[in-house]
């Protein structure tokens, strides 16, 4: 232990192995590691305490340590590689709140931590999966601005998830199955490969109001308590699916101009209006089961390469007044007293059903 206490700089790597039953690793003078820090599958390990460590040139791997309860790296700011913390089911205290930059991936999966604080984290070059931490009541990544992808899922006790600073994600943003979180706020996000917010059953507000474009899908599905869903800036996407949000009172994607794939607005049973007012073209359009809808406005829609299905929306007034070309079928069915307006000289390659 005297040697470990005296070590300030490690020019290579630090690798913890099962030897002599050691259950605590303390290196309180160590400030930097040029290579990796690794403690994988060390069954006796309970605590890692590196209070002065500031930087790592390689990776951190803390995986499969079944007895580990404490990871204490309070001074750490920069990791050139990845930070892998997963499969440590007893790990209840994770102190990595000073990290600002991670050059690789940052999986934090399957711990017993009650608070996950990475509030100083600014950017991650790779993926950020924070998943299956079932005791975590709060997840703070509020300073994170950019990442390769972000997945915060199945943290079932978390009432607060803060990714409010996130602006750019190259890949996907997935916030799903966090069944206790009361709001999902990624209100600064402007671009992403795709966005999936689903099964956050206690969230009353879903805010992606700054999102302007995705190359992939925007799916906001089965968030049963959400009364407000803000996608008001979204102009372009591969596809859009806003469905099964049974408490939302209005669906407004009024900036959306085009999708190459499907637009689906279905089973949002409390929504009194569906506004797709600037949508000009889509792969297909499905608006069904919005039983309280009084108005469905897709008045700028001209071209659909697939089907148009508008059905089961009560007595809604339906406006597709500019529709000129549909490569598939058109089915517009009203069960109430609503009216229907379509464009002159509309060409439909498939069948047409209007009742």
């Amino acid at each position: 232990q005297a040697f470990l206490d005296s070590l300030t700089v490690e020019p290579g790597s630090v690798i913890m192995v099962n030897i002599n039953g050691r259950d605590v690793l303390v290196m309180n003078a160590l400030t930097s590691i040029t290579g990796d820090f690794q403690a994988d599958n060390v069954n006796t390990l309970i605590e890692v305490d590196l209070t002065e460590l500031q930087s790592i040139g390689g990776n951190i791997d803390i995986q499969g340590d079944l007895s580990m309860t404490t990871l204490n790296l309070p001074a750490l700011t920069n990791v050139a590689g990845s930070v892998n913390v997963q499969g440590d089911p007893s790990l209840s205290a994770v102190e990595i709140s000073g990290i600002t930059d991670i050059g690789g991936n940052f999986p934090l999966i399957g711990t017993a931590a009650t608070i996950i604080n990475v509030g100083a984290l600014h950017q991650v070059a790779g993926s950020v999966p924070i998943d299956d931490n079932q005791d975590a009541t709060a997840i703070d990544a509020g300073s994170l601005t950019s990442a390769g992808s972000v997945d915060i899922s199945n943290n079932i006790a978390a009432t607060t998830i803060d990714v409010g600073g996130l602006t750019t994600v190259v890949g996907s943003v997935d916030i799903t199955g966090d069944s206790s979180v009361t709001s999902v706020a990624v209100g600064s996000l402007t671009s992403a490969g795709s966005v999936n917010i689903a099964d956050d059953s206690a969230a009353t507000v879903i805010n992606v109001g700054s999102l302007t474009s995705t190359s992939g899908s925007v799916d906001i599905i089965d968030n049963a308590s959400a009364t407000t869903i803000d996608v008001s800036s979204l102009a372009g996407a591969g596809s859009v699916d806003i469905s099964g949000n049974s408490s939302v009172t209005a669906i407004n994607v009024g900036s959306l101009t085009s999708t190459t794939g499907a637009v689906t607005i279905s089973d949002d049973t409390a929504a009194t209006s569906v506004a797709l007012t600037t949508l000009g073209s889509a792969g297909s359009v499905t608006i069904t089961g919005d039983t309280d809808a009084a108005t469905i406005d897709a008045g700028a829609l001209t071209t659909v390469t697939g089907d148009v299905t508008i059905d089961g929306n009560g007595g809604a007034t339906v406006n597709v007044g500019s529709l000129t070309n549909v490569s598939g079928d058109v089915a517009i069915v009203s069960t109430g007293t609503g009216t229907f307006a379509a464009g002159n000289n509309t060409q439909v390659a498939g069948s047409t059903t209007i009742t």
Side-chain angles (χ1 to χ4, degrees):
Q1 184 62 49
F3 170 74
L4 297 179
D5 289 341
S6 67
L7 191 63
T8 59
V9 176
E10 171 50 58
S13 297
V14 175
I15 300 174
M16 182 75 177
V17 296
N18 273 316
I19 187 168
N20 296 327
R22 178 182 284 271
D23 59 6
V24 176
L25 178 63
V26 178
M27 302 174 72
N28 283 336
L30 186 65
T31 60
S32 68
I33 299 172
T34 302
D36 300 331
F37 177 82
Q38 180 178 326
D40 290 350
N41 303 306
V42 184
N43 295 329
T44 58
L45 186 61
I46 295 174
E47 180 179 348
V48 171
D49 194 355
L50 308 177
T51 57
E52 301 302 318
L53 183 64
Q54 299 171 23
S55 64
I56 292 181
N59 303 311
I60 298 177
D61 286 299
I62 309 288
Q63 302 184 68
D65 303 302
L66 301 182
S67 301
M68 188 173 178
T69 62
T70 303
L71 175 63
N72 190 28
L73 306 171
L76 185 64
T77 58
N78 293 286
V79 178
S82 296
V83 177
N84 300 304
V85 181
Q86 52 187 318
D88 306 299
S90 301
L91 185 58
S92 57
V94 180
E95 174 50 82
I96 51 175
S97 60
I99 296 179
T100 59
D101 296 280
I102 296 174
N105 302 317
F106 177 38
L108 182 59
I109 300 172
T111 75
T114 56
I115 303 292
I116 295 174
N117 179 7
V118 286
L121 186 62
H122 179 65
Q123 59 184 3
V124 178
S127 62
V128 183
I130 303 176
D131 300 337
D132 298 312
N133 301 286
Q134 298 193 2
D135 294 322
T137 59
I139 297 172
D140 181 2
S143 297
L144 182 65
T145 60
S146 64
S149 65
V150 174
D151 182 355
I152 303 177
S153 297
N154 300 319
N155 305 285
I156 59 175
T159 58
T160 302
I161 295 174
D162 185 359
V163 285
L166 194 62
T167 60
T168 305
V169 177
V170 176
S172 60
V173 175
D174 295 285
I175 303 175
T176 65
D178 303 297
S179 54
S180 299
V181 70
T182 55
S183 70
V184 178
V186 281
S188 298
L189 184 68
T190 58
S191 65
S194 64
V195 174
N196 179 27
I197 301 173
D199 298 311
D200 299 310
S201 55
T204 59
V205 175
I206 295 172
N207 179 10
V208 285
S210 296
L211 183 67
T212 58
S213 65
T214 71
S215 56
S217 61
V218 175
D219 298 319
I220 303 176
I221 299 172
D222 292 335
N223 303 286
S225 299
T227 57
T228 301
I229 296 174
D230 186 354
V231 287
S232 57
S233 298
L234 184 65
S239 63
V240 175
D241 188 344
I242 303 175
S243 298
N245 306 287
S246 56
S247 299
V248 69
T249 55
I251 304 291
N252 180 9
V253 279
S255 297
L256 186 66
T257 59
S258 65
T259 69
T260 54
V263 175
T264 305
I265 313 286
S266 293
D267 298 318
D268 302 301
T269 52
T272 58
S273 63
V274 176
L276 295 162
T277 50
T278 61
L279 182 64
S281 63
S284 65
V285 175
T286 302
I287 304 172
T288 59
D290 303 306
T291 52
D292 280 359
T295 60
I296 295 172
D297 189 353
L301 185 65
T302 61
T303 304
V304 179
T305 55
D307 298 335
V308 175
T309 305
I310 302 175
D311 188 2
N313 303 294
T317 298
V318 178
N319 179 13
V320 285
S322 300
L323 190 63
T324 57
N325 195 305
V326 179
S327 299
D329 301 332
V330 173
I332 300 176
V333 179
S334 175
T335 58
T337 58
T339 59
F340 163 64
N344 296 324
N345 302 314
T346 300
Q347 296 181 4
V348 179
S351 63
T352 302
T353 304
I354 299 175
T355 60

